[in-house]
Amino acid sequence: LNFKKSEHLFAFFFFIMKKYNMNKVEHWQQYWLTHPTLNSFDFDYHDVNGPYLFVKEHWQRVWQDIISSDVVVDLAAGKGALAKLAYDYNVQCRAFISIDSAHIQTANIDNENSFRFDKGNIERLSLDDSSINLAVSMFGIEYANLTKVFVELERCVSRQFHFLCHHPDSIITQKSKITHAIVDELFATE
């Protein structure tokens, strides 16, 4: 497997996290501060072909069902890649809330247009019961305790949710397994 810059960064931060006893929040904060794009890949979702186009078109279909009174929440939002896609698609809703344990807002979005970024734990949402019309997540929710997340979604979401997750056999998941094995081996020699 050929590791690119982003995988090296992830492996490096995972190593630093374990070495210096960082918690998950500190790890993700450092990861997003140094990552050049709004997502975990080397490109944002504005390409006109390949997997990036597939991702963009998937979310455009989801955005079509949003109405102006909706509250949309992006779980494990990272740097706001989904918020940026929604903003670029001109989604009109009451609120589009991006929640992540790392509080980083880097998407170029006019916050007066109902978009906001909150630091929070998606396993314990600080939102009222049935206050979300649509919950979304792209390559993020699978890093949380899904049992806890789905309990919160059952409590907070009144209509629907859409997630894109890494497949267990995907390249990024395979690379992560290799990274974990390398880090485990490094620590086994200490």
Side-chain angles (χ1 to χ4, degrees):
L1 294 175
N2 181 17
F3 282 90
K4 291 184 178 162
K5 183 179 175 186
S6 59
E7 285 92 13
H8 286 301
L9 282 173
F10 183 78
F12 173 73
F13 285 119
F14 183 78
F15 172 76
I16 295 298
M17 183 177 105
K18 288 191 93 169
K19 181 79 173 169
Y20 296 102
N21 201 24
M22 292 173 72
N23 65 36
K24 279 200 311 191
V25 173
E26 293 168 326
H27 160 70
W28 284 113
Q29 184 80 21
Q30 289 300 312
Y31 175 77
W32 288 122
L33 282 171
T34 59
H35 200 72
T37 63
L38 293 179
N39 58 54
S40 294
F41 303 109
D42 289 333
F43 302 96
D44 285 321
Y45 301 105
H46 299 304
D47 285 356
V48 292
N49 55 32
Y52 302 107
L53 178 64
F54 166 81
V55 169
K56 180 172 74 172
E57 288 178 342
H58 168 78
W59 290 113
Q60 287 174 341
R61 286 189 298 276
V62 172
W63 303 151
Q64 290 174 357
D65 294 333
I66 294 174
I67 59 175
S68 61
S69 60
D70 280 349
V71 174
V72 180
V73 175
D74 177 11
L75 304 168
K79 291 171 88 171
L82 266 181
K84 180 66 171 151
L85 282 172
Y87 182 78
D88 289 348
Y89 192 71
N90 198 29
V91 167
Q92 301 294 315
C93 57
R94 184 163 39 117
F96 193 109
I97 306 164
S98 297
I99 299 175
D100 199 276
S101 59
H103 187 66
I104 299 169
Q105 177 190 346
T106 60
N108 187 17
I109 293 174
D110 174 12
N111 285 337
E112 295 178 21
N113 194 19
S114 75
F115 288 81
R116 79 173 202 242
F117 293 80
D118 290 350
K119 183 175 181 174
N121 183 341
I122 66 171
E123 296 171 2
R124 290 186 307 276
L125 293 171
S126 59
L127 299 167
D128 294 334
D129 293 358
S130 300
S131 62
I132 303 169
N133 302 100
L134 171 64
V136 295
S137 184
M138 178 169 63
F139 309 125
I141 194 172
E142 63 268 33
Y143 295 101
N145 179 320
L146 291 177
T147 301
K148 291 178 180 179
V149 171
F150 282 109
V151 166
E152 287 296 279
L153 291 175
E154 180 68 26
R155 181 181 68 78
C156 295
V157 178
S158 65
R159 193 169 74 222
Q160 61 182 323
F161 44 88
H162 290 269
F163 306 129
L164 284 181
C165 298
H166 295 116
H167 187 277
D169 297 328
S170 68
I171 292 171
I172 194 165
T173 304
Q174 291 174 19
K175 288 179 180 181
S176 292
K177 289 176 185 176
I178 292 168
T179 300
H180 283 272
I182 291 168
V183 169
D184 288 343
E185 188 174 317
L186 285 171
F187 285 108
T189 61
E190 289 186 354

